[in-house]
Amino acid sequence: MNIALVTYLDKGAYDSTTVESEDDKLLNFLKEKGLNIEKVIWNDRDINWEDYSLAILKSPWDYFDLIEEFYHWLDHLEEKR
């Protein structure tokens, strides 16, 4: 089973230099449990969402800046079900 850990294109706008990356910690933890998981940027047009059995919506932090695009992406995922 391929799993997508859904995130965003990090341009540093939502980063903190004082906190360890939650996404990286979760990703490493789940990989250590034997899961086939990778970070996937929600609005990357090159992603084939049909390659994934499961998507964990974790940290698409820029969604509110791109809300209409985000809604379209959610609709696109729902069509794949």
Side-chain angles (χ1 to χ4, degrees), residues 45-63:
R45 298 192 192 284
D46 293 331
I47 299 299
N48 181 2
W49 291 99
E50 292 175 348
D51 290 342
Y52 299 95
S53 303
L54 178 69
I56 299 172
L57 189 62
K58 169 64 176 80
S59 55
W61 298 127
D62 60 353
Y63 78 93

Side-chain angles (χ1 to χ4, degrees), residues 2-6 36-40 49 52 54-57:
N2 293 329
I3 303 170
L5 182 63
V6 179
N36 186 22
I37 186 168
E38 63 181 315
K39 281 190 202 177
V40 180
W49 291 99
Y52 299 95
L54 178 69
I56 299 172
L57 189 62

